[in-house]
Amino acid sequence: MTIIDTHTHLYDLPDLAGSLREAADAGVTDVVALGVDLASNQKHIEMCQSAPGRVRIHPALGLHPGNITTREDTAACLQFIRENISQAVAIGEAGLDFWYKWVRKDDVKKQEQREAFQGQLDLAAQFGLPVVIHARGSWRECLEMAKASGIARADFHWYSGPVDVLRDILDAGYVISVSPALEYSADSRRAAEFAPLDRLLVETDTPVMVSLPDGTRVASGPKDVWRTFRALCSVKKLDEPEALQALNANARAFFNIPVL
Ligand SMILES: [Zn+2]
């Protein structure tokens, strides 16, 4: 049994080698590693250029709405993405998040997020890449921007938004990814129930914190994609072998990851 983790932030893992070893032992064959700023994009490119391990690392290049600083930094990051785009399986993590305290009442900051997101959507459209979208609290606006930019493939990551927007996401031909939040979040479960299996991806958002059975909180690793998978099967009452095959096929098709 093998599986793909479609959303990780490997640059942020305290013990990268250990996490990848555990992932390989657990049957994780591929991970998509998403950058959030210039430094993390650079790190992921270096990781996948160094000696290949048992887990294949596929970089997605992006500028996260929570990592926007100055217009100059945004321009430098977009420039790096453009120069290295041949190495990327996707653009992301990109999007909008107006829930951050420092953004909520600041129209200039909101506009900076929109410009950075638009710049990434334009790159995705120009190079025919999928986009992985962080759309917390701005699901509708992110959807409208992706559609208006002619994006063919978009993943609304860790989707926990309203069902009416989800319906329109699916109508646009897009997908959502579900996370370990399926274990505790009613919003995540509702989205997973609503979306058909052929529009779902599984992810960890590693190293997001997860709970152990005794309640201790630990940093997740790509091996924890099995937790997401099992929670999804339980929410949707799926046959595990069949669901696994479908989810792996979805991930390979979305990110254009070949079977080795
Ligand atoms: Zn993420």
Side-chain angles (χ1 to χ4, degrees):
M1 298 244 284
T2 62
I3 195 166
I4 298 169
D5 186 352
T6 65
H7 194 114
T8 69
H9 298 286
L10 296 184
Y11 64 88
D12 215 10
L13 275 174
D15 175 17
L16 176 65
S19 293
L20 289 177
R21 203 178 321 116
E22 284 176 356
D25 290 345
V28 178
T29 54
D30 300 83
V31 301
V32 178
L34 293 103
V36 298
D37 59 11
L38 183 59
S40 54
N41 286 318
Q42 280 168 332
K43 268 196 193 168
H44 285 159
I45 297 265
E46 283 161 21
M47 268 180 212
C48 78
Q49 284 172 343
S50 57
R54 289 184 291 152
V55 178
R56 286 191 296 161
I57 299 168
H58 307 277
L61 301 177
L63 176 56
H64 190 289
N67 294 72
I68 290 171
T69 48
T70 62
R71 283 211 157 85
E72 291 71 29
D73 284 353
T74 294
C77 190
L78 292 180
Q79 181 62 23
F80 179 85
I81 294 171
R82 178 182 282 280
E83 284 165 0
N84 292 277
I85 205 143
S86 63
Q87 315 235 29
V89 294
I91 295 295
E93 183 164 349
L96 303 174
D97 191 329
F98 299 157
W99 284 10
Y100 294 120
K101 260 200 213 107
W102 67 92
V103 178
R104 217 170 278 172
K105 289 185 181 143
D106 189 332
D107 287 336
V108 175
K109 294 250 174 295
K110 287 181 187 168
Q111 197 49 34
E112 285 171 1
Q113 284 193 11
R114 289 190 187 99
E115 286 170 20
F117 185 34
Q118 189 59 56
Q120 293 174 87
L121 291 170
D122 292 344
L123 283 171
Q126 185 185 344
F127 292 94
L129 285 173
V131 190
V132 180
I133 301 178
H134 172 108
R136 188 173 65 152
S138 53
W139 297 283
R140 173 71 65 191
E141 185 167 349
C142 285
L143 172 62
E144 295 309 327
M145 285 178 73
K147 279 165 65 178
S149 306
I151 298 299
R153 282 175 291 162
D155 163 31
F156 283 73
H157 132 78
W158 193 304
Y159 191 82
S160 59
V163 168
D164 65 319
V165 182
L166 176 52
R167 185 176 291 121
D168 294 344
I169 287 171
L170 299 170
D171 281 350
Y174 300 154
V175 307
I176 62 166
S177 50
V178 290
S179 73
L182 281 182
E183 292 178 353
Y184 57 82
S185 155
D187 290 338
S188 292
R189 282 201 197 111
R190 197 183 49 214
E193 274 170 10
F194 188 83
L197 181 58
D198 66 352
R199 298 301 188 80
L200 283 165
L201 302 174
V202 282
E203 61 156 276
T204 57
D205 209 10
T206 287
V208 82
M209 299 300 276
V210 289
S211 296
L212 297 178
D214 68 1
T216 327
R217 306 272 290 161
V218 292
S220 57
K223 70 172 191 317
D224 294 305
V225 71
W226 287 112
R227 290 177 65 156
T228 306
F229 170 72
R230 295 209 171 92
L232 177 66
C233 288
S234 136
V235 166
K236 288 184 81 66
K237 303 184 177 52
L238 298 170
D239 173 68
E240 290 198 359
E242 250 173 62
L244 186 57
Q245 207 175 10
L247 291 163
N248 284 337
N250 294 350
R252 290 190 189 285
F254 185 85
F255 292 106
N256 205 9
I257 296 174
V259 184
L260 268 197

